[in-house]
């Protein structure tokens, strides 16, 4: 795909856009091999890989370190960097300086959350030659408690403001939009009013594509998958699910085999062979299937 313009071309061809997050080198390799259109080095890393309560806690240094690792794992796939909370809201200069650090790493665009005062930030970024992906509906960086992670746009006023935000972000120069956790009928109105590609998460089937967090896609979290993860993906991810039972089985096998390890045999130790086999199986089987499902699945 040729730069971000490839997303608009896909939209015009009515082909589904698949965006998946990655937070490190191996996850970037897996999703690129699976053929996703866009990799988002998302600030969901805060909760999925860094163990913070919310995305508000992650620093720009942490995001840059993870984004660099993702960059090293990608050769051709579009990469979007995610501006973390507190690094762009206050003024245009701050937004441009923060975004430049992601572009210098090799991001094709950056994503930021919200509209209102953020419209000026988008204009400043676009004027500085930086492509911007907007984010409307539920904005996780504005959520302070678990209750704040509820769907948006369920009453008339909030639905209208989501539609207006989407229109305003397009007018401010966004190249694409993420729409998160809004009712399908609100997404349908957004789709009628904006021309740029819209990528949904928990926003129904009307969008041009879907985005999913890598750990939700592969079932790598101990917690139950979010409600918007389709049943077909949940069923597939039980194959790779990180369950305490599976992990302790692997650790027992490792304990039994590792005593033979001497590092000298041509195929490596039994433990190393086990590790290589399971890495190859994950890369070869699980992810491409999941990503195919992602582009053809029925969305809530
Ligand atoms: O950081 C992230 O993973 C995101 C997606 C949910 C769109 O912003």
């Amino acid at each position: 795909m040729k730069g971000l313009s490839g997303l608009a071309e896909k939209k015009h061809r009515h082909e589904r856009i698949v965006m998946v997050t990655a937070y490190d080198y191996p996850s970037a390799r897996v999703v690129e091999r699976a053929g996703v259109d866009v990799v988002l080095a998302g600030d969901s890393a805060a909760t999925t890989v860094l163990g913070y309560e919310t995305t508000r806690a992650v620093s720009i240094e942490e995001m840059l370190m993870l984004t660099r690792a993702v960059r090293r794992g990608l050769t051709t796939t579009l990469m979007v960097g995610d501006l973390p909370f507190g690094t762009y809201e206050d003024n245009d200069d701050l937004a441009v300086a923060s975004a430049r650090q992601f572009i210098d790493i090799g991001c094709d665009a950056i994503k930021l959350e919200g509209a209102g005062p953020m419209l000026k930030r988008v204009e400043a970024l676009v004027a500085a030659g930086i492509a911007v992906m907007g984010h409307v509906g539920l904005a996780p960086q504005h959520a302070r408690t678990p209750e704040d992670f509820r769907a948006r746009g369920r009453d008339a006023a909030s639905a209208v403001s989501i539609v207006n935000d989407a229109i305003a972000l397009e007018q401010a120069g966004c190249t694409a939009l993420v729409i998160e956790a809004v009712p399908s009928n609100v997404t349908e109105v957004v789709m009628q009013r904006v021309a740029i590609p819209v990528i949904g998460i928990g926003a129904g089937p009307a969008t041009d594509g879907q985005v999913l967090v890598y750990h939700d896609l592969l079932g790598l979290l101990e917690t139950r998958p979010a409600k918007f993860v389709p049943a077909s993906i949940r069923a597939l991810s039980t194959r790779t699910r990180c369950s305490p039972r599976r992990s302790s089985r692997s650790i027992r096998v490792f304990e039994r085999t590792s005593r033979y390890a001497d590092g000298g045999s041509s195929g490596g130790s039994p433990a190393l062979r086990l590790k290589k086999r399971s890495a190859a199986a994950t890369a070869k089987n699980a992810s491409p299937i999941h990503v195919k499902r992602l582009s053809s699945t029925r969305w809530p």
Side-chain angles (χ1 to χ4, degrees):
M1 190 178 310
K2 307 167 258 118
L4 279 188
S5 59
L7 295 184
E9 287 163 21
K10 269 202 113 170
K11 177 183 171 94
H12 291 128
R13 290 196 301 269
H14 302 289
E15 288 171 14
R16 307 285 294 157
I17 296 167
V18 177
M19 179 158 93
V20 175
T21 66
Y23 312 110
D24 57 16
Y25 175 83
S27 55
R29 298 296 309 134
V30 166
V31 296
E32 177 163 280
R33 283 186 53 176
V36 303
D37 300 303
V38 192
V39 172
L40 172 66
D43 68 348
S44 48
T47 53
T48 52
V49 301
L50 297 178
Y52 291 123
E53 291 274 315
T54 74
T55 56
R56 294 164 73 89
V58 70
S59 67
I60 193 162
E61 290 76 21
E62 288 167 320
M63 283 309 301
L64 289 168
M65 190 269 279
L66 298 173
T67 308
R68 279 190 204 101
V70 173
R71 177 72 276 161
R72 287 191 284 271
L74 299 178
T75 51
T76 52
T77 312
L78 288 177
M79 179 169 81
V80 176
D82 211 0
L83 292 186
F85 175 72
T87 67
Y88 61 94
E89 299 87 337
D90 285 356
N91 61 68
D92 294 348
D93 290 345
L94 176 67
V96 171
S98 298
R100 272 206 204 292
Q101 297 186 67
F102 288 86
I103 299 298
D104 289 348
I105 289 175
C107 290
D108 297 287
I110 59 88
K111 181 170 82 61
L112 55 72
E113 294 183 7
M118 295 312 111
L119 297 171
K120 286 263 167 290
R121 305 294 98 82
V122 173
E123 283 167 4
L125 289 161
V126 173
I130 296 170
V132 182
M133 185 176 271
H135 187 144
V136 296
L138 172 63
Q141 290 178 3
H142 299 168
R144 290 164 191 270
T145 65
E147 295 72 55
D148 292 337
F149 285 93
R150 64 193 188 325
R152 300 302 148 101
R154 295 179 115 157
D155 57 74
S158 140
V160 168
S161 97
I162 290 169
V163 174
N164 286 339
D165 285 351
I167 296 169
L169 283 164
E170 175 174 45
Q171 284 169 353
C174 281
T175 310
L177 280 184
V178 166
I179 182 164
E180 178 162 358
V182 310
S184 306
N185 53 356
V186 177
T187 305
E188 282 162 21
V189 179
V190 169
M191 297 311 292
Q192 288 157 14
R193 303 295 169 89
V194 304
I196 52 177
V198 179
I199 303 176
I201 178 161
T207 53
D208 300 303
Q210 301 287 338
V211 50
L212 207 52
V213 164
Y214 181 80
H215 289 60
D216 282 332
L217 184 62
L218 296 185
L220 298 178
L221 297 171
E222 282 176 89
T223 47
R224 294 164 80 82
K227 264 209 304 233
F228 53 75
V229 178
S232 53
I233 303 278
R234 290 181 202 211
L236 278 172
S237 65
T238 53
R239 283 209 222 149
T240 45
R241 179 162 312 288
C242 151
S243 74
R245 191 167 55 82
R246 278 169 195 237
S247 311
S248 55
R249 199 165 59 207
S250 305
I251 289 165
R252 279 200 307 276
V253 171
F254 179 62
E255 191 272 327
R256 279 201 304 277
T257 55
S258 59
R259 75 177 74 136
Y260 303 113
D262 63 7
S265 69
S266 55
S269 66
L272 187 60
R273 279 202 297 277
L274 187 73
K275 200 170 142 198
K276 278 188 184 158
R277 262 209 305 275
S278 79
T282 308
K284 182 161 170 269
N285 300 323
S287 306
I289 296 170
H290 282 52
V291 170
K292 266 188 220 145
R293 282 290 168 101
L294 185 61
S295 57
S296 59
T297 201
R298 291 177 63 79
W299 289 87

